[in-house]
Amino acid sequence: MLTNSAKYAMKAVLFLALNTNENNKMMVKDIYERINVPQSYLAKLLQELSKHNIVSSSRGPKGGFYLDDKNKSIRLIKIVDIIDGEQRLRSCMLSLKECDNENPCALHRLVGDANSSFIKNLEETTIESLIADVRDGKSILPL
Amino acid sequence: MLTNSAKYAMKAVLFLALNTNENNKMMVKDIYERINVPQSYLAKLLQELSKHNIVSSSRGPKGGFYLDDKNKSIRLIKIVDIIDGEQRLRSCMLSLKECDNENPCALHRLVGDANSSFIKNLEETTIESLIADVRDGKSILPL
DNA sequence: TCGCAAATATGACGAATATCATATTCTAAC
DNA sequence: GTTAGAATATGATATTCGTCATATTTGCGA
Ligand code: FES
Ligand code: FES
């Protein structure tokens, strides 16, 4: 479903959303232990996300990664599409084409609307709204 | 979610369920094109499934793979657990532990009951009942 | 302006998945 | 029995994913 890289990226972005802003940046070396992602790997992922403007960054002393308000309004789907590619999440269980409700493969009804509703949720949910749940204690940021 | 191998295995088993029985076996070389799976790869998968008694087989002239009635009453989950291992399907979106509804991670509600209901369906559905849909034209076996 | 602290770029390596190939073993049929 | 046709066992290779390491670039602060 999601690759490990995408999960790490999510954790990182969510963590940044909770702990940073324009005036409060964080460096890779201060993040990786908190979210349990290998340091260099995290660096690479954040650089990739930065290149695509999902997260913001600045170099030099006092530099680091952070999320500004614009970043926080980004939808989750962008993260996984950038890290995993757009295909991975959307391919059918049996063939390699996209799901087709008209001509469902034998497994289609087993997965039900599960997958498509998951995708839809990713498309609709912004980083911002997701972390609200964490702040409210409705969900947690594990590890 | 499912590995490519698991998808291939599913296709193969479903195909065998539709086209074989004790008196009507099929060889790898007559199957692989029909389900669009590389020949040697399919062979390996079927051998693995055979070892675990998901499919039946016999060697020598007139031999091949097939599904008997007992095989057809097997539940789909066994196929994926054997090919992918039991963990893969069941790990949480963000951490590596199993999902916990008490302490849901930030993404838990996005995937909703999607994943767990998919697993449940796999646990409940037998090969037999699944191919009934194909026979009835309710679903297809793609590629 | 200089030096240092950070991200960035690049690429090497390892591990798991996907694929291919071949030698061996079993067995039905003659 | 012998033979030929099939699965089986084994392992080599390719590709993708995950991880690590390092040289380079950029910009803040003294
Ligand atoms: S058509 Fe195959 S999962 Fe939807
Ligand atoms: S607790 Fe993370 S997906 Fe369920």
Side-chain angles (χ1 to χ4, degrees):
Chain A
M1 178 120 70
L2 296 185
T3 199
N4 232 324
S5 297
K7 296 183 185 180
Y8 286 170
M10 289 270 199
K11 286 210 266 188
V13 170
L14 263 26
F15 181 83
L16 288 176
L18 281 170
N19 296 286
T20 68
N21 55 50
E22 287 97 311
N23 311 312
N24 218 337
K25 301 159 190 170
M26 281 189 79
M27 297 181 294
V28 167
K29 68 172 178 178
D30 293 324
I31 303 174
Y32 81 96
E33 303 160 302
R34 311 262 311 261
I35 62 176
N36 207 45
V37 174
Q39 178 165 16
S40 302
Y41 196 6
L42 175 61
K44 201 171 220 173
L45 289 170
L46 282 176
Q47 288 165 203
E48 185 73 10
L49 291 173
S50 169
K51 191 190 299 179
H52 289 271
N53 301 309
I54 306 297
V55 306
S56 305
S57 64
S58 70
R59 310 203 222 195
K62 266 296 190 183
F65 291 96
Y66 64 99
L67 261 61
D68 59 26
D69 288 344
K70 203 172 171 187
N71 293 138
K72 287 179 188 167
S73 70
I74 290 174
R75 315 205 167 226
L76 298 176
I77 190 70
K78 281 214 106 182
I79 300 172
V80 357
D81 280 350
I82 284 169
I83 301 295
D84 281 352
E86 301 190 3
Q87 290 232 304
R88 186 180 206 93
L89 197 55
R90 296 177 177 80
S91 59
C92 154
M93 296 285 99
L94 290 187
S95 75
L96 293 179
K97 307 171 189 174
E98 297 188 13
C99 259
D100 182 349
N101 281 320
E102 307 303 318
N103 270 24
C105 79
L107 293 183
H108 190 92
R109 78 176 47 182
L110 291 189
V111 66
D113 332 77
N115 208 40
S116 50
S117 87
F118 178 53
I119 295 172
K120 194 176 218 178
N121 284 338
L122 288 177
E123 283 168 348
E124 289 173 353
T125 308
T126 64
I127 295 166
E128 204 161 40
S129 68
L130 190 62
I131 60 172
D133 289 351
V134 178
R135 284 219 189 81
D136 296 349
K138 289 186 191 162
S139 59
I140 59 171
L141 249 201
L143 288 189
Chain B
M1 178 121 72
L2 295 185
T3 202
N4 232 326
S5 297
K7 295 185 185 181
Y8 287 171
M10 289 271 197
K11 285 211 267 189
V13 169
L14 262 27
F15 180 84
L16 288 176
L18 280 170
N19 296 287
T20 69
N21 55 50
E22 288 96 312
N23 312 311
N24 217 338
K25 301 159 191 169
M26 282 189 78
M27 296 180 295
V28 167
K29 67 172 179 180
D30 293 325
I31 303 174
Y32 80 97
E33 302 159 303
R34 311 262 310 263
I35 61 176
N36 206 46
V37 174
Q39 178 166 15
S40 303
Y41 197 6
L42 175 60
K44 202 170 219 174
L45 288 170
L46 282 176
Q47 287 165 205
E48 185 72 11
L49 292 172
S50 171
K51 190 190 301 178
H52 289 271
N53 303 308
I54 305 297
V55 306
S56 304
S57 65
S58 70
R59 310 202 224 195
K62 267 295 191 183
F65 291 95
Y66 64 99
L67 262 60
D68 58 26
D69 288 344
K70 203 172 171 187
N71 294 138
K72 287 179 187 167
S73 68
I74 289 174
R75 313 201 170 229
L76 298 176
I77 190 70
K78 281 214 105 181
I79 299 171
V80 358
D81 279 350
I82 284 169
I83 301 295
D84 281 353
E86 302 190 3
Q87 291 231 305
R88 186 181 207 93
L89 196 56
R90 296 176 177 82
S91 58
C92 154
M93 297 284 99
L94 290 188
S95 76
L96 293 179
K97 308 171 188 173
E98 297 188 13
C99 261
D100 181 349
N101 281 321
E102 307 303 319
N103 270 23
C105 79
L107 293 183
H108 191 92
R109 77 176 48 182
L110 291 189
V111 65
D113 333 77
N115 208 40
S116 51
S117 88
F118 178 53
I119 294 172
K120 193 176 220 177
N121 283 338
L122 288 176
E123 284 168 347
E124 288 172 353
T125 309
T126 64
I127 295 166
E128 204 162 39
S129 68
L130 190 62
I131 60 172
D133 289 350
V134 178
R135 284 218 189 81
D136 295 350
K138 289 185 191 165
S139 59
I140 59 173
L141 248 200
L143 290 189

